[in-house]
């Protein structure tokens, strides 16, 4: 089985400082999986939020699968449930409520077993001066790796 699904959130490392990283399963419909295999998904503006004791991926966008029937249509930007252990959920919920941190998706991919997974990070937002440091570091590395 080819691993075609590999969607990154490129803004995540620029806007946030990652504290902890987790791998979660995601609940998808059949047509959503087919659409992701075609490469039509986006998690750049999405975030994770708790509803009760369950964690949901909000504002992620998966385009409609063009060959699906009328009965398998879905809302493109619906909330998608994330699957984690109970202890991980409690730890994340405590960190979000007490420390004012947020949970962001980093990467959506298919693992070796063929399951679709989401890498999420417990993160703290960066200030503008932190972002300037990231830009300096990136430019410095780009200049040093450049071959004349």
């Amino acid at each position: 089985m080819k691993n075609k699904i590999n969607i990154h959130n490129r803004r995540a490392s620029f806007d946030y400082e990652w504290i902890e990283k987790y791998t979660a399963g995601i609940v998808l419909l059949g047509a959503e999986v087919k659409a992701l295999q075609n490469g039509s998904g986006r998690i750049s503006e999405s975030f994770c939020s708790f509803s009760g004791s369950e964690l949901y991926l909000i504002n992620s966008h998966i385009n409609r699968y063009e060959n699906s029937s009328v009965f398998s249509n879905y809302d493109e930007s619906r909330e998608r449930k994330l699957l984690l252990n109970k202890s991980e959920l409690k730890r994340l919920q405590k960190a979000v409520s007490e420390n004012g941190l947020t949970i962001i998706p980093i990467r959506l991919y298919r693992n070796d077993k063929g399951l679709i997974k989401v890498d999420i990070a417990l993160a703290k937002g960066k200030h503008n001066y932190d972002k300037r440091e990231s830009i300096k570091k990136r430019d410095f590395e780009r200049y040093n790796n450049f071959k004349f």
Side-chain angles (χ1 to χ4, degrees):
M1 181 180 297
K2 292 183 180 178
N3 186 5
K4 286 186 172 182
I5 303 171
N6 195 8
I7 301 169
H8 290 275
N9 185 354
R10 297 178 68 185
R11 294 279 309 174
S13 63
F14 184 71
D15 289 336
Y16 297 96
E17 177 185 344
W18 302 344
I19 297 170
E20 279 185 271
K21 190 174 168 184
Y22 297 92
T23 300
I26 185 168
V27 177
L28 295 173
L29 302 173
E32 290 176 327
V33 174
K34 292 293 234 178
L36 283 173
Q37 287 176 346
N38 288 342
S40 60
R42 187 174 63 240
I43 59 169
S44 60
E45 297 174 359
S46 59
F47 60 96
C48 300
S49 178
F50 281 96
S51 176
S53 63
E54 296 178 340
L55 187 63
Y56 288 92
L57 181 64
I58 299 172
N59 208 15
S60 62
H61 188 82
I62 299 174
N63 293 340
R64 290 197 192 279
Y65 181 58
E66 58 197 35
N67 297 329
S68 66
S69 67
V70 177
F71 301 109
S72 64
N73 283 341
Y74 54 89
D75 184 19
E76 295 176 356
S77 58
R78 71 179 181 89
E79 296 179 357
R80 293 168 177 89
K81 185 177 176 180
L82 296 179
L83 307 171
L84 288 165
N85 293 335
K86 191 178 283 189
S87 61
E88 292 174 335
L89 286 172
K90 285 182 181 178
R91 193 175 329 138
L92 284 171
Q93 194 167 20
K94 183 178 178 184
V96 168
S97 63
E98 291 180 359
N99 301 336
L101 302 174
T102 187
I103 305 169
I104 54 166
I106 300 170
R107 183 176 152 217
L108 181 71
Y109 65 99
R110 177 176 292 193
N111 69 358
D112 297 335
K113 295 181 180 178
L115 302 173
I116 297 176
K117 300 287 186 174
V118 180
D119 282 344
I120 59 173
L122 185 63
K124 177 181 170 184
K126 285 185 181 178
H127 295 286
N128 283 336
Y129 53 84
D130 294 332
K131 291 180 185 179
R132 286 193 296 266
E133 287 296 321
S134 297
I135 292 170
K136 283 180 193 176
K137 184 190 237 182
R138 183 183 63 207
D139 288 345
F140 182 75
E141 289 176 7
R142 185 182 301 152
Y143 180 75
N144 285 340
N145 292 335
F146 185 74
K147 296 182 181 180
F148 292 100

